[in-house]
Amino acid sequence: MDKFVIHGGNRISGSIEVSGAKNASLALMPASILASGSSILHNTPELNDVYTMMKLLNHLGVETDFQNHTLRLNTGKIVSRDAPYEHVKKMRASVYVLGPLLTRFGTAKVSLPGGCAWGPRPINLHLEGLKKMGAEIDLSEGYIIARSNRLSGAKIYFDVSSVGATGNILMAAVLAKGTTAINNAALEPEITNLAEFLLKMGAKINGINTSSLEIEGVDELKPAEINTIPDRIEAGTLLIAAAITRGEITLENFSPKYCEAVLAKLESSGCKIIVDGNKIHLKNVSDGILPSDVTTAIYPGFPTDMQAQWTAYMSIADGTSTVTDTIYLDRFKHVPELVRLGASISVNENIAVIKGTKKLLGAKVMSTDLRASASLVLAGLAAEGTTEVLRVYHLDRGYQRIEEKLRTLGADIQRVEGKEY
Ligand code: EPU
């Protein structure tokens, strides 16, 4: 369990490339199961959730070769249809193998993901959708046991827009018999990246980039090759790193279309943003940080995965702001840790009220989940003195060597390896 030691106060400044999107890779990798042979995923980020998904796919019999961000997946010899607890407990996105295994092989046994660090995260929509397509689903001894003859197309309406349920049902539908309509489908760019990969594999999908997807099942798919889109949450985190330290940053390979809401909020907090094709330049030009309220929403709204980082940013704003999470009502585990650094934040139900303070003071703080850890690193960059962020394995799940990127940009941040952190 490594920790980060941050000596705060340095301005973040310089240019950096954004890595491939974790949440796109976690959908693209299991999608390779849908065809027999070698698929290639370019721009795959080197981070622990990707390695966890690789191990799960290896367990199923998928051969993987991962070099220089190119991930080759050979699905010619899949021997198992089981995703055991040992793998799924490490990462909820493992449930993405359910749709592909079931639709290609007619059977799948996948451990139920259970809750996560900040509360319940149900998968009822995944299961109800598959049942509508004709799957028999039993829950037994902590496992989802799914069986079917060939799945049939169905009309599916999601009560809530869900990234995971859209991905799972989309992957199941591409090999089903007949047409599947998914209404209230997720619009997140990672779902579009998945749909484009499926098209390359030979799937027939209409309505990509809309909330109504129509999928005409085909008998067989072929392996394919795709570029993983850049990670909009890493991009947003780096932009805030510059904003919170009154610095200046250029993201070299990142289209603003992926993060309009975050850019708009950064502007209203006093940053100047210049977009030049696929480059985004941010400079904090105001004397202080202007308070700016955010409410999380499904894409293209302000992402819940940026909520903790925004809370850290607003903790040194010149005034009071609120952060409301409408996607995950309990996602505030970072708040008590930010308070240890001197932030003044109170949480009432799903709303954090943040009274900006003049400065944060370094302290030891504990990571509790991925985005919470990112918020602590951001606060540490801005704090006076030394901040130690413990248990950064949470951060390593979803950011590719963030400390190295931040160091390139001028931060004083070191990873200290150790067992006791
Ligand atoms: N929901 C249900 N039933 C379901 C599925 C979801 O009620 O069957 C609800 C959830 O409780 C939540 C909302 O729908 O309130 C949205 O959840 P969603 O299914 O979209 O989340 P997810 O697919 O489990 C993905 C990302 C998360 C990100 C959310 C929301 C991946 C692998 N994970 O999760 O990413 O927070 O979408 O955008 O794509 C992260 O990267 O830190 C992370 C947690």
Side-chain angles (χ1 to χ4, degrees):
M1 279 199 250
D2 299 354
K3 67 178 177 182
F4 283 166
V5 178
I6 306 167
H7 299 291
N10 290 7
R11 286 191 181 198
I12 291 297
S13 105
S15 298
I16 198 99
E17 295 238 336
V18 178
S19 299
K22 165 181 85 84
N23 289 345
S25 293
L26 295 180
L28 295 171
M29 292 170 71
S32 68
I33 294 173
L34 291 162
S36 176
S38 280
S39 282
I40 304 176
L41 309 179
H42 296 283
N43 198 31
T44 303
E46 291 168 359
L47 40 84
N48 284 351
D49 275 7
V50 163
Y51 297 125
T52 301
M53 184 60 88
M54 257 169 71
K55 282 190 194 138
L56 171 57
L57 295 178
N58 292 154
H59 167 86
L60 299 176
V62 178
E63 290 168 0
T64 50
D65 174 47
F66 190 20
Q67 287 175 45
N68 296 328
H69 302 116
T70 299
L71 176 60
R72 289 165 204 274
L73 301 137
N74 185 350
T75 56
K77 294 180 202 148
I78 292 184
V79 286
S80 166
R81 285 63 166 138
D82 288 10
Y85 178 65
E86 292 66 46
H87 293 281
V88 180
K89 74 171 183 201
K90 289 194 188 139
M91 186 183 70
R92 301 176 49 82
S94 307
V95 79
Y96 265 141
V97 298
L98 177 61
L101 283 176
L102 181 64
T103 198
R104 180 159 165 222
F105 300 110
T107 165
K109 183 176 171 192
V110 177
S111 174
L112 274 164
C116 90
W118 68 79
R121 287 176 65 189
I123 54 159
N124 58 306
L125 299 173
H126 304 229
L127 303 185
E128 284 160 19
L130 292 173
K131 277 187 196 160
K132 272 206 124 180
M133 298 176 77
E136 261 179 52
I137 296 194
D138 294 312
L139 302 182
S140 169
E141 297 176 346
Y143 278 83
I144 306 158
I145 298 164
R147 291 178 216 90
S148 69
N149 293 322
R150 190 173 178 189
L151 292 170
S152 312
K155 279 197 173 157
I156 292 168
Y157 171 78
F158 291 138
D159 290 333
V160 211
S161 171
S162 157
V163 176
T166 303
N168 235 336
I169 299 301
L170 178 58
M171 289 191 274
V174 288
L175 286 177
K177 188 172 166 49
T179 303
T180 300
I182 307 180
N183 288 308
N184 201 18
L187 288 165
E188 272 66 6
E190 294 75 22
I191 290 293
T192 302
N193 204 190
L194 170 65
E196 281 166 358
F197 182 47
L198 297 173
L199 285 183
K200 285 177 175 240
M201 294 174 91
K204 295 189 177 160
I205 307 169
N206 282 317
I208 296 177
N209 269 329
T210 75
S211 57
S212 300
L213 292 173
E214 197 174 85
I215 306 114
E216 195 189 320
V218 296
D219 291 340
E220 206 179 9
L221 294 171
K222 56 184 190 313
E225 199 167 333
I226 189 139
N227 264 323
T228 310
I229 57 169
D231 196 305
R232 60 199 166 99
I233 308 304
E234 187 200 48
T237 305
L238 291 169
L239 289 170
I240 293 185
I244 200 171
T245 58
R246 311 282 174 79
E248 197 168 345
I249 192 170
T250 303
L251 303 181
E252 289 291 345
N253 59 331
F254 192 77
S255 166
K257 72 177 179 197
Y258 295 129
C259 67
E260 297 286 4
V262 172
L263 292 177
K265 286 293 168 185
L266 281 165
E267 273 183 329
S268 65
S269 73
C271 295
K272 183 164 184 192
I273 288 161
I274 299 168
V275 174
D276 174 11
N278 263 6
K279 282 188 189 184
I280 299 180
H281 180 79
L282 172 142
K283 185 172 184 183
N284 191 335
V285 288
S286 67
D287 289 338
I289 294 169
L290 308 175
S292 182
D293 299 343
V294 303
T295 299
T296 67
I298 57 172
Y299 186 83
F302 191 95
T304 172
D305 293 344
M306 284 299 301
Q307 182 263 98
Q309 298 90 314
W310 193 262
T311 305
Y313 180 39
M314 285 298 111
S315 68
I316 54 165
D318 294 336
T320 299
S321 59
T322 59
V323 166
T324 307
D325 201 324
T326 67
I327 309 290
Y328 295 120
L329 309 185
D330 303 327
R331 197 179 195 177
F332 291 101
K333 288 275 193 288
H334 43 286
V335 167
E337 299 302 306
L338 290 172
V339 168
R340 286 180 53 71
L341 295 170
S344 172
I345 310 171
S346 58
V347 179
N348 189 0
E349 296 188 340
N350 63 334
I351 304 174
V353 179
I354 308 146
K355 283 189 193 150
T357 69
K358 284 243 170 320
K359 63 177 181 195
L360 300 174
L361 276 179
K364 279 190 183 177
V365 285
M366 184 81 84
S367 304
T368 50
D369 62 75
L370 169 57
R371 307 304 172 187
S373 327
S375 80
L376 300 177
V377 170
L378 293 173
L381 293 175
E384 201 176 285
T386 304
T387 298
E388 292 192 13
V389 182
L390 311 185
R391 300 196 175 178
V392 293
Y393 64 87
H394 289 291
L395 203 89
D396 292 334
R397 286 188 55 181
Y399 289 90
Q400 182 179 303
R401 291 184 292 279
I402 187 98
E403 77 281 17
E404 288 177 19
K405 288 196 177 182
L406 290 170
R407 243 190 339 259
T408 314
L409 295 165
D412 184 344
I413 176 170
Q414 300 297 332
R415 176 184 291 265
V416 180
E417 290 178 11
K419 286 199 172 111
E420 71 274 30
Y421 312 124

